[in-house]
Amino acid sequence: MSERIQLFRPTIGAAEKAALCETLDSRWVGRGPRSIRFEERFAEYIGVDHAVALNSATAALHLGLLCAEVEGQEVLTSSLTWVSSTQAILLAGGRPVFCDIEPDTLNLSVDDVARKITPTTRAIVVTHYGGQACDMDPVLELAAAHGLTVVEDAAHGCGGIYRGRRLGSLGDVGCFSFQATKNMTTGDGGMLVTGDEALAGRVRKLRWCGITRPTWERFRPGQPKRSWMYEVEEVGWKYEMNDLAAALGLAQMDSLEANNQRRRELMDRYREAFSGLDGVDCLASRDYAVSACYNAVIQVDDRDGLFAHLDACGIDSNVHFYPNHLYRLFRPYTTRLPVTERVWERILSIPLYPGLTDEHQDRVIAAVRAFAEGERRQPAAAG
């Protein structure tokens, strides 16, 4: 029996294990020096002034939208994204307005965004699907013309580039995910980045229950004047990242560029293998961007058939995503999105991660090609 090929698999080695052991030995595992160092290093990498470490990208989106003051206002967004992107809008009191997508990149259609701007629109959430940058220049022009805040959902985009700039550095706020499957992981976690000092300061306060002086700032070694006293200035949340997660993040940053380059090499192999293959299309790339290549998405006519075929071949696959506007929870915000509703039924994510060997990828390629050429393997009968 051949080894099953996973869809995603985090790249974790000796450096990550050593970082965790060092943090455990320090006996300071809550937010502290490693979290602060991770924020500083990540801000420098992305090319922004401020980075705030959080426990998820959902928290980053929530707090970013809260600071954008979207309560009672419309927020333009994609439906083809993880549900927490829409939930973050609702948590911040906004009203999601779903926009259609480009059929070949699955990123927001700027034309549809322009059509749906109204006097009550307050912000645009731009999802860089699969790590491929949206065309940000026209989005930023629209935002400037209408006084809108741009929030980049770069959960898939860590290390991606748009016209020479890192994803997350282009809008007013950038939000990253370090969940287990992402380009770099802290086990779970996220980061909000921004060039706005006041916004960053408020997010730092909101992530720790609205407290003005967190524990490390009050009791860190060498503090000239320790004090237990702090103020609580507004209602906040328990969204902080701890030093165990930050230690993983610091170790992961050392290999992020090399791992992303391996992802791009694997994506190039998929593109070459499926070029000219009837009924199988990879997502398009754009000249203005260097993708982070978070996932490998192909479009096929019989998506569910290919899913079953790959499963029978010992290969994991998945669908990213079921359109948000079709969920019952979001029914009050449902609208017609012709491209999204057509394309999502054809998309399937196939294995992609830095540790995927050429031999295992060849198995994936062979299985997809066999399906496309009519050689379908049936799932084994139960019992």
Side-chain angles (χ1 to χ4, degrees):
M1 182 73 177
S2 298
E3 177 185 356
R4 188 166 190 89
I5 301 175
Q6 296 174 256
L7 179 62
F8 298 116
R9 187 174 182 177
T11 303
I12 295 173
E16 286 79 6
K17 295 175 185 177
L20 286 176
C21 288
E22 181 183 337
T23 306
L24 290 169
D25 289 342
S26 78
R27 299 300 192 269
W28 191 286
V29 297
R31 180 188 169 273
R34 289 163 182 80
S35 300
I36 294 168
R37 190 156 69 247
F38 184 32
E39 290 173 334
E40 292 170 347
R41 185 172 174 189
F42 196 80
E44 182 180 2
Y45 174 74
I46 297 299
V48 295
D49 292 331
H50 306 282
V52 184
L54 301 164
N55 61 7
S56 68
T58 306
L61 288 163
H62 176 204
L63 297 186
L65 288 161
L66 198 73
C67 291
E69 299 180 348
V70 302
E71 185 171 3
Q73 305 294 302
E74 294 179 342
V75 180
L76 305 182
T77 187
S78 172
S79 175
L80 199 68
T81 183
W82 177 237
V83 294
S84 68
S85 297
T86 302
Q87 290 173 345
I89 296 170
L90 295 172
L91 285 169
R95 178 181 176 85
V97 175
F98 294 115
C99 300
D100 220 339
I101 57 175
E102 299 175 337
D104 57 347
T105 67
L106 311 188
N107 278 328
L108 273 177
S109 163
V110 179
D111 290 340
D112 201 38
V113 168
R115 281 191 292 269
K116 290 179 176 174
I117 294 174
T118 73
T120 60
T121 303
R122 182 68 188 86
I124 306 171
V125 176
V126 177
T127 299
H128 300 298
Y129 184 94
Q132 167 70 37
C134 288
D135 193 359
M136 290 298 295
D137 282 350
V139 171
L140 295 171
E141 289 168 8
L142 281 172
H146 295 274
L148 307 179
T149 297
V150 175
V151 176
E152 290 181 76
D153 181 347
H156 293 182
C158 193
I161 295 172
Y162 175 83
R163 300 193 188 280
R165 296 176 63 186
R166 298 279 181 197
L167 301 188
S169 70
L170 298 142
D172 299 284
V173 173
C175 303
F176 292 88
S177 172
F178 306 132
Q179 182 262 350
T181 68
K182 297 303 190 292
N183 295 56
M184 57 173 284
T185 183
T186 60
D188 210 343
M191 190 79 77
L192 180 147
V193 302
T194 183
D196 186 327
E197 183 175 2
L199 188 151
R202 189 179 180 208
V203 170
R204 291 189 183 102
K205 182 171 57 178
L206 288 173
R207 70 178 173 182
W208 185 239
C209 301
I211 291 172
T212 54
R213 296 182 66 221
T215 306
W216 177 256
E217 278 72 3
R218 288 180 285 121
F219 291 103
R220 69 180 184 269
Q223 178 85 320
K225 184 179 179 182
R226 292 188 171 200
S227 172
W228 57 266
M229 187 61 190
Y230 54 83
E231 187 55 77
V232 183
E233 294 186 342
E234 60 181 311
V235 174
W237 288 263
K238 185 67 168 63
Y239 280 173
E240 280 197 323
M241 177 181 285
N242 61 54
D243 267 18
L244 286 169
L248 274 177
L250 285 164
Q252 288 269 292
M253 287 199 72
D254 290 338
S255 56
L256 177 61
E257 284 298 301
N259 285 340
N260 277 355
Q261 181 56 36
R262 174 60 178 165
R263 288 173 178 274
R264 295 178 187 116
E265 290 168 0
L266 290 165
M267 238 359 274
D268 287 344
R269 293 187 87 230
Y270 277 138
R271 292 183 191 282
E272 183 178 358
F274 300 146
S275 177
L277 185 62
D278 288 342
V280 178
D281 299 300
C282 292
L283 297 188
S285 57
R286 293 285 192 259
D287 292 342
Y288 53 66
V290 177
S291 178
C293 291
Y294 163 63
N295 58 355
V297 177
I298 57 175
Q299 298 191 45
V300 293
D301 291 336
D302 184 6
R303 186 265 312 284
D304 293 342
L306 178 56
F307 175 88
H309 170 75
L310 292 176
D311 186 52
C313 293
I315 299 168
D316 289 343
S317 62
N318 204 351
V319 176
H320 295 99
F321 299 93
Y322 186 81
N324 283 202
H325 75 286
L326 300 181
Y327 283 112
R328 281 181 291 179
L329 177 64
F330 305 129
R331 189 168 290 165
Y333 317 103
T334 294
T335 186
R336 283 280 296 131
L337 302 174
V339 178
T340 301
E341 290 165 21
R342 181 180 75 249
V343 169
W344 90 267
E345 294 186 332
R346 300 186 68 241
I347 60 174
L348 191 68
S349 298
I350 57 177
L352 182 70
Y353 50 90
L356 183 67
T357 66
D358 288 355
E359 292 75 17
H360 278 179
Q361 189 183 31
D362 288 341
R363 270 182 57 195
V364 178
I365 290 168
V368 172
R369 292 189 65 90
F371 179 85
E373 293 164 359
E375 302 171 17
R376 305 187 179 195
R377 181 177 293 186
Q378 300 300 318

